[in-house]
Amino acid sequence: MTSGRDLRTLPKAELHLHTVGAMRPATMSELAAQAGMNAPDPRGFTSFAEFEDVFRAAFRLVQLRPENLLRLVREIVADAAADGAVWVQPQFDPHPFAEFGSPEEVLEMVLAAARAEGDRLGVGFGLTIAAARQGGPDAAAGLARFAARYAGNGVHAFGLSGDEAAFASEPFAEAFAIAREAGLTAAPHAGELAGPRSVQTAVEVLGATRIAHGVRASEDQAVVDMLAVRGVTLDVCLSSNRLLGVYPELAQHPLPGLLQAGVRCSLGADDPLLFGTGLLDEYEVARTELRLADDQLAGLARTSIETSDAPAALIQAAAAGIGRWLAA
């Protein structure tokens, strides 16, 4: 039954978030003004290509000064805390910031800033190092080797982003084998711009235990059953799916059916800069538009915590907090 429980006080983890895509619109405008540039309308896109154009514009602003990157990271942690998250794990690759230092120096700079802000606000922080499909499998394998060196020391998962319809997953098997061997969680994007076969490949070829999106698995019952049996988690982004046209009407969204089929799901904001919603908003949307009851919302939060890469003590404390939230 839906109630008036405050979703802000529900402990949750944010596992599907892109670092640059999490920039505050006000920050984008301010950084652009400082640089004498015109900031694009972050929500003026009408296609995935235009969406990527806005993302690239934000990226250029972050690349201008190391202070811009550190501000972005601190604001990500602060926004997560304001939404009731106890763990936030955005996707990041330090290599595009070569002017700020070596990849190692950039990574350690980001981790230090995020951890300091997290300690202040009571939010745990880790990273998913994500390769870009358009960069090719060799670059992805190199990035996986880099991520493996930091496994368990600020880096907890290996991801894969970009247009899955244009760049298949199979060529990235080596990169994910390297990541898994190092103990990193395999968490690629799949099942957003391509159908259930993409999800199946992510699991069977890349060894995914978490999938960013994955919702189009719903188009094939056999793939849904596989996800349920294997306990693979889908890190679902409702507003992103609607605004990018995956499901133009949220009433069409398969999340309720996936949950009913026993598929583990969490909620994530994806790119708040472009979609205008944070993690708390995603839970509100699930409650008001998908009519999920509080026990279902608590289940999403519990899955986000239990399948996160957070320390065991944080997971245990958050799980207890979810129980208290339901009992209130």
Side-chain angles (χ1 to χ4, degrees), residues 94-95 101-111 146 149-150:
H95 290 79
S102 68
E104 292 82 1
E105 289 171 330
V106 173
L107 180 65
E108 289 164 8
M109 177 175 66
V110 165
L111 288 171
F146 173 85
R149 289 165 46 200
Y150 289 87

Side-chain angles (χ1 to χ4, degrees), residues 249-270:
E249 301 294 333
L250 276 181
Q252 305 169 349
H253 202 282
L255 176 59
L258 289 166
L259 293 174
Q260 187 175 12
V263 178
R264 305 192 80 184
C265 298
S266 75
L267 293 179
D270 202 356

Side-chain angles (χ1 to χ4, degrees), residues 48 52 131-134 160-165 167 189 192-193:
F48 188 73
E52 289 188 315
R133 291 176 186 268
Q134 61 269 27
L160 182 65
S161 61
D163 188 347
E164 59 181 316
F167 302 93
H189 280 59
E192 177 196 21
L193 302 178

Side-chain angles (χ1 to χ4, degrees), residues 13 34 36-37 69 78 100 114 117 155 193 200 239 268 290-291 307 312:
Q34 290 174 357
M37 300 166 60
L69 175 60
F100 303 165
E117 189 72 355
V155 175
L193 302 178
Q200 183 178 359
S239 299
L290 295 185
R291 311 303 297 174
T307 64

Side-chain angles (χ1 to χ4, degrees), residues 103-193:
E104 292 82 1
E105 289 171 330
V106 173
L107 180 65
E108 289 164 8
M109 177 175 66
V110 165
L111 288 171
R115 286 166 170 165
E117 189 72 355
D119 289 345
R120 187 177 74 85
L121 296 173
V123 179
F125 182 88
L127 288 172
T128 295
I129 297 289
R133 291 176 186 268
Q134 61 269 27
D138 291 341
L143 186 60
R145 293 186 187 96
F146 173 85
R149 289 165 46 200
Y150 289 87
N153 185 23
V155 175
H156 303 282
F158 188 72
L160 182 65
S161 61
D163 188 347
E164 59 181 316
F167 302 93
S169 296
E170 287 88 346
F172 299 94
E174 180 188 1
F176 277 84
I178 294 167
R180 296 196 314 273
E181 178 67 23
L184 295 171
T185 298
H189 280 59
E192 177 196 21
L193 302 178

Side-chain angles (χ1 to χ4, degrees), residues 53 88 117 133 140 143 148 190 219 234 264 276 285 287 293 305:
D53 287 342
V88 57
E117 189 72 355
R133 291 176 186 268
L143 186 60
E219 298 168 18
L234 306 184
R264 305 192 80 184
V285 166
R287 170 186 271 175
I305 293 293

